[in-house]
Amino acid sequence: MTTRLKSVDVVTIGVGWTGGIVAAELTKAGYHVVGLERGENRNTDPDFEIPQIHDELAYAVRHKFMQDAAKDTYTFRNDVEQTALPIRYLSGFLPGTGLGGAGVHWNGQTWRFLPWDFETRSATVKRYGEEKLNGATSQDWGITYEELEPSFDKFDYAAGIAGKAGNIKGTIQPGGNAFEGPRSREYPNPPMKTSYAGLLFREAAKKLGYHPFPQPSANVTRPYTNPDGAKFGACVYCGYCERFGCEMFAKSSPQLAVIPVAMKTGNYELRTGCNVTKINLDSTGKRAVSVTYVDGLGREFEQPAEMIFLTSFILNNVRLLLVSGVGKPYDPASGEGVIGRNYTYQMNTGGTYFFNNKAFNSFMGAGAMGVAVDDFNGDNFDHRDVDFVGGAYLLVGSTGARPIQYHPVPPGTPSWGAEWKKQVVKYYDRAIGINASGGVQAYRGNYLDLDPTYRDAYGLPLLRITFDWGPNELNQSKFMAEILKKIGKAINADIVAVAPRTGHYNSTIYQSTHNIGGAIMGSDPENSAVNKYLQSWDVHNVFVLGASAFPQNSAYNPTAMLCALAYWNVDNVIKNYVKHPGPLV
Amino acid sequence: MDELSRNDFLKLAGIAGTATAVGEGAPALLRPDAADAAPVKALLLQPQAFTYLTQPEQAFVEAAIDRLIPKDASSPSAKDAGVAYYIDQQLAGAWGTGARQYRQGPWQQGTPEQGYQLNMVPQQLYRIGIAQTNAHCRKTYGKTFDALSSVHQDEILHGLEGGKIALAEVPAKAFFDTLLGNTVEGFFADPLYGGNRNKAGWKAIGFPGVAAAYTGVIERHNIPYRVKPVGIADVEQGMDPDPDRAENDEHRRRVAMMHGNTRREG
């Protein structure tokens, strides 16, 4: 039996960064918002308290904050000829669950996408010709960096981002990233300290003529109060960010930056342990009337709402659209349809550098502490002589060296035994890593749909992921590997271990949780699921937020991008939608 | 508070004695014996015992992990660091019984890129893997694995790892990779899980453990920071219950006062 509840103004499906931003902005504007979160309620005090939070086994290895594959996972295959099989242990990527979502256990690497990223297709075709895309179905976003700048700025200040501006209103700033799009003002907080690894990389990069700068960070560098009065502490460089919560109130998260703002208004109602199974449409199919969800006691509810925001992890956003019949499913055979189209990911190419006589104290650090180089990103360099589009940013990230997962050994070392142990002991604190975080272009055969066989704990079909690397990614990796080798010489490492990625995408090896696309934004309902305001082309009171909206992936980490889009979306909803509900485009 | 140091962490956590040993103004290179000398109270002793592994399985695991991470000048072996108990506890608990594993059928073998597809939880992987490896050893050498010479033990382990030995009811490599993965986990995980006894794994590599706050020292470049490692149990148990309580409450009070308590009611 389904209990029908009293109607509310707004429902968000999921309460992480995007759900939190929507809640804060709409409750401040006087609307009644219900946040439905499938996982548990959790907060700094007491859930991220020391000493328990510094438990590598529980959080980093056994994934305490992550989606439980026993209840819900995905099926995977490299191409349409294969039978997709369930990912029985989530390991290649780790969707979060619970209040704050991945915004609790992220590293805090906070990048604004390049102006070029928003016009990947048109800028590439214009400068190099169509063939440079290597068959990619990558698209323009239907929005420009310039339009979004105020929303990026809003996020930077709401989240207390630490960094050094490289371009303020068109004037290049020494010490920042000269390649970034113009920003309206400096970061709210100064950049993080520099590790020894970062220092060596900075010197080597300068020697090679590159332009190093401190990575923008959501690990807040001093006590900070955001414009809404939310308070943050200062990072202590404990080295437990990625996969952990922060005990210091210092890693910006929805719990710190936006959810308390919504709570303070009295207009916000958070319901945890509530898993949404469907968005219900009216008889025309053009308007959503409610969502159906199941709570922890197994009771089913129907929650009517005027506006419905999909604010869960991208894969779960796309699945809910498919099971609810919102938008036409994508068909790779015809190339038609939009839901599931342009699924992309992140291409990481890594180098490890071993030194016989240095001490890095690698266990010290913070998730977004690092020195970066953007010379090989986007269209920041001439692509005439390379066989790929886009690029990568290079980073020495000093994120901490928790020893179960971090104990690098030189190539050729056995995987166990006396020699392995000797090398682990020797190099645990004498090695650094440099990563080339690269973009991924979209292709016709990489997409998301519903699996015909496997189901989750609620009886819903699992989402099926069909994905493999394309020519742009493999060629990019080869190119970046050469750069990483060059840096090895400049940095005077004793042993350099660099290998480009080859072969098929492997779902078992952790590479990134930057799953992207499947409900992409654009200017044409034929090839995008949502318009430039993140509004469904088909059902005007459904808004689909998050990285599902990116038409392809930039080299950068997605959080700042998807948070800026959330501010952009909700500002336009308040300004233009609520008085005259209907299509915004 | 923005200069909270490891020293402060220990103070906040209640290990006051250690705090004096590594106080502000201490030399950058902190010798391990400096912290050793501090009057940290003895931990509560917890008995260790096997709960899942049978006696022949215990013998197998202890023998195998003694080869995977052997004793050397830097530390005891995985076996002597209690890693067999770690593995036993993991097998007996949530992980061993299939937590976080999608267990619905149908089952079929996929590509390497699709990963683990067995209709088996870790308990079964170990039970079958050990029994069949021992059967292989008896057939080849007339003895179970634990009774072989270390040379023959290494040969068997290489055989499982590299695919030279095939087991009838379990993929040998899946069994070996799980055993090796668990051994490394147990050697480096917090000692509260039964392995890394006396923080042997952490001491071998110079990992300071969970008392981590480095604002004041992170820019002391290329100067090794080496301290006596601190585990979760040290913080929770290593002091009188009452002062401990008071110190922790004090910590919470200070943090809440500074940053605003974000805990929401209801």
Side-chain angles (χ1 to χ4, degrees), chain A residues 54-55 62-63 66 76 83 86 88-89 194 236-237 249 263 359 361 415-417 421 429 454-455 507, chain B residues 68 70 75 90 101-102 104 106 113-114 117 161 185 193 210 214 219 221-223 225-226 255 264:
Chain A
H54 290 181
D55 182 343
R62 299 281 183 254
H63 307 155
M66 313 304 182
F76 168 74
T83 301
R88 293 189 180 275
Y89 287 107
T194 308
V236 297
Y237 301 88
F249 300 85
M263 286 290 178
N361 296 328
S415 56
W416 53 273
K421 188 179 177 192
D429 202 29
Y454 295 96
R455 292 185 174 258
S507 73
Chain B
L68 295 176
S75 85
Q90 291 296 307
Q101 187 198 93
Y102 181 77
Q104 307 304 310
E113 290 78 14
Q114 291 176 311
Q117 295 296 334
E161 182 182 28
E185 284 164 19
Y193 292 103
V210 305
Y214 302 117
E219 288 188 324
H221 293 154
N222 205 15
I223 299 168
Y225 180 89
R226 301 291 178 263
V255 172
R264 289 190 306 283

Side-chain angles (χ1 to χ4, degrees), chain A residues 466-486:
Chain A
T466 305
F467 180 78
D468 209 347
W469 303 121
N472 289 299
E473 293 65 53
L474 295 171
N475 295 343
Q476 176 213 107
S477 187
K478 222 183 291 171
F479 177 88
M480 296 304 162
E482 291 310 310
I483 305 274
L484 291 173
K485 282 180 198 162
K486 216 155 94 178

Side-chain angles (χ1 to χ4, degrees), chain A residues 41 43-46 49-52 54-55 57-58 61-64 66-70 73 76-78 82-86 88-89 99 193-196 199 223 231-238 240 248-249 256 259 263 270 358-359 361 363-365 369 401 403-404 407 415-418 420-421 424-425 428-429 453-455 462 504-508, chain B residues 1-4 9 67-72 74-76 86 90 95 99-117 122 154 157-158 161 176 180 182 184-185 187-189 193 202 204-210 212-215 217-226 232 235-236 251-252 255 258-264:
Chain A
N41 195 344
N43 288 287
T44 310
D45 177 5
E49 279 287 354
I50 51 169
Q52 293 98 319
H54 290 181
D55 182 343
L57 183 73
V61 180
R62 299 281 183 254
H63 307 155
K64 196 165 169 181
M66 313 304 182
Q67 177 171 310
D68 181 356
T73 184
F76 168 74
R77 58 183 178 175
N78 280 122
Q82 295 177 347
T83 301
L85 295 178
R88 293 189 180 275
Y89 287 107
L99 189 68
K193 292 172 182 282
T194 308
S195 69
Y196 187 45
L199 180 81
K231 291 185 191 311
F232 302 74
C235 172
V236 297
Y237 301 88
C238 74
Y240 290 86
M248 294 305 300
F249 300 85
L256 293 180
I259 295 170
M263 286 290 178
L270 174 67
K358 291 199 186 300
N361 296 328
F363 41 81
M364 304 178 185
M369 183 188 197
I404 298 174
H407 45 264
S415 56
W416 53 273
W420 172 82
K421 188 179 177 192
V424 166
V425 168
Y428 168 73
D429 202 29
T453 306
Y454 295 96
R455 292 185 174 258
L462 297 186
H504 300 292
Y505 167 72
N506 186 322
S507 73
T508 71
Chain B
M1 197 65 175
D2 61 336
E3 288 290 312
L4 186 101
F9 180 102
R67 300 308 304 157
L68 295 176
I69 304 182
K71 173 180 179 339
D72 66 7
S74 72
S75 85
Y86 165 82
Q90 291 296 307
W95 179 79
R100 295 183 168 273
Q101 187 198 93
Y102 181 77
R103 296 191 60 205
Q104 307 304 310
W107 287 269
Q108 71 177 79
Q109 282 314 294
T111 64
E113 290 78 14
Q114 291 176 311
Y116 190 91
Q117 295 296 334
D154 284 2
L157 292 169
H158 282 298
E161 182 182 28
F176 176 85
L180 176 59
N182 288 157
V184 174
E185 284 164 19
F187 195 65
F188 289 128
Y193 292 103
W202 291 354
I205 57 174
F207 179 65
V210 305
Y214 302 117
T215 308
V217 291
I218 193 163
E219 288 188 324
R220 292 180 190 170
H221 293 154
N222 205 15
I223 299 168
Y225 180 89
R226 301 291 178 263
I232 290 171
V235 180
E236 290 190 356
H251 167 57
R252 292 201 183 93
V255 172
M258 282 192 66
H259 309 306
N261 192 337
T262 59
R263 180 193 286 179
R264 289 190 306 283

Side-chain angles (χ1 to χ4, degrees), chain B residues 139-185:
Chain B
K139 206 171 98 191
T140 312
Y141 299 111
K143 300 176 198 167
T144 53
F145 179 86
D146 57 289
L148 298 180
S149 70
S150 55
V151 172
H152 283 157
Q153 285 175 340
D154 284 2
E155 190 187 300
I156 296 290
L157 292 169
H158 282 298
L160 295 171
E161 182 182 28
K164 277 193 188 148
I165 296 174
L167 307 177
E169 289 171 44
V170 66
K173 186 162 169 54
F175 168 54
F176 176 85
D177 287 349
T178 306
L179 175 65
L180 176 59
N182 288 157
T183 305
V184 174
E185 284 164 19

Side-chain angles (χ1 to χ4, degrees), chain A residues 303-319:
Chain A
Q303 175 63 66
E306 294 300 314
M307 293 180 273
I308 292 166
F309 291 75
L310 280 80
T311 52
S312 66
F313 190 66
I314 83 123
L315 298 172
N316 303 331
N317 274 357
V318 172
R319 199 217 357 206

